Amino acid sequence: MPVRFQPSARKAIDFAMVEMERIGDPALSSLHLLLGLLEPGAEGSQAALRLLGMNPAALQLDARRDIHLARTGALLAEIDDAPEHVLERAGRISEQCGASDISDADILMAAAQDQATWAGKLLAASGVTPALLWGVFPEARGVLRHPGAPDPLAGIEMLDVTFPPTFAPALPVRTGIGYDSHRFGVGGPMILGGIEIPGDIKLVGHSDADAVCHALTDAILGGAGAGDIGELFPDTDPVNQGRSSIEMMRAACAASEKRGWRVAQVDVTVIVERPKLLPYRDAMRASLATALGLPADCVSVKAKTNEGMGWVGRGEGLACMAVATLIPMRTVTR
Ligand code: MG
């Protein structure tokens, strides 16, 4: 098991020791360690938190509050707050990653996994769960930045964390928004929401031009903080010519799940003068629900006209807006 620390991890531990002395605490606690991990010098743990949309400064305030509560006896005394167990666990995580030294991201992951410590409880209560951290861990640790490096998470079974009732966190929910529009062209059928809409017009685009799926793809990627459809599928790449947009949407789900977020519900509005979409609405919902792995009542498709105004009103094309709600994945299996 590695016992050497990377410079950023060393910096976090040094900061924890300095804080312990400054505050006048008799021993190092997991909360001091967490303070160190929230310092800007701890680049890996900072990156992990940023990828999860967390504010390290706010977490630091919470850690200081808990340190104060611990000193005044307001936190339960019987808890086994052992920072050495966190560091031992970090060593095992580092070993599983095939690394020769322990990174600050390893320590953060270990702290989140160790639900017996105050730091673990604080992270869980703040929504920084091991399951979410796994999603961003390779990027934060930088282990996948080297071409050809093996997946450090391969073969590692995810822990499913259960929270004691008093620490049940308000689970974070994320929302993403997406928009797309395509011109009409001659010759049907039109592909929308993964189904064929018969008629003599189609949507023109590099892929199959399914604006519903494109808006949904961007909404999912946006909610997960995973970029946008243009980054995943550049229209300059001939491989994407005629690509199925359902496939793109599934790829967005996969990218989102890799970061620990699962699509829970989507809502779509198509703005179009004609064709009238009502007869196809349920088929679109069913098609999207199947692709997203959701029950049909978690997928909404609505259509409305633009009251004859503007380019939509003139029948030049259609526009689509989508919202996706994402929830944390409680168990990640790889
Ligand atoms: Mg598009």
Side-chain angles (χ1 to χ4, degrees), residues 159-170:
L159 300 176
D160 193 11
V161 180
T162 53
F163 299 100
T166 49
F167 280 95

Side-chain angles (χ1 to χ4, degrees), residues 261-331:
W261 296 97
R262 175 178 291 141
V263 178
Q265 176 255 333
V266 295
D267 188 14
V268 176
T269 295
V270 184
I271 307 151
V272 63
E273 299 294 329
R274 57 184 184 82
K276 293 295 175 198
L277 294 181
L278 186 59
Y280 308 102
R281 191 184 61 185
D282 287 346
M284 273 195 265
R285 285 181 70 190
S287 153
L288 295 168
T290 301
L292 294 166
L294 290 175
D297 67 353
C298 293
V299 177
S300 161
V301 176
K302 310 184 298 298
K304 61 196 290 125
T305 71
N306 210 37
E307 299 282 342
M309 295 181 287
W311 61 267
V312 172
R314 291 191 296 273
E316 293 172 19
L318 62 73
C320 185
M321 296 190 292
V323 171
T325 304
L326 311 182
I327 57 172
M329 298 178 71
R330 300 303 300 267
T331 307

Side-chain angles (χ1 to χ4, degrees), residues 179-182 204-207 209-215 229 245 248:
Y179 170 86
D180 196 34
S181 58
H182 280 272
V204 179
H206 191 68
S207 64
D210 186 335
V212 166
C213 286
H214 293 180
I229 191 169
S245 300
M248 294 189 207

Side-chain angles (χ1 to χ4, degrees), residues 225-274:
D228 63 39
I229 191 169
E231 285 175 52
L232 249 65
F233 302 103
D235 61 10
T236 48
D237 189 340
V239 172
N240 296 324
Q241 180 85 46
R243 186 186 278 277
S244 152
S245 300
I246 286 279
E247 186 196 319
M248 294 189 207
M249 193 175 66
R250 285 206 184 109
C253 291
S256 172
E257 287 176 8
K258 206 170 163 191
R259 289 169 179 254
W261 296 97
R262 175 178 291 141
V263 178
Q265 176 255 333
V266 295
D267 188 14
V268 176
T269 295
V270 184
I271 307 151
V272 63
E273 299 294 329
R274 57 184 184 82

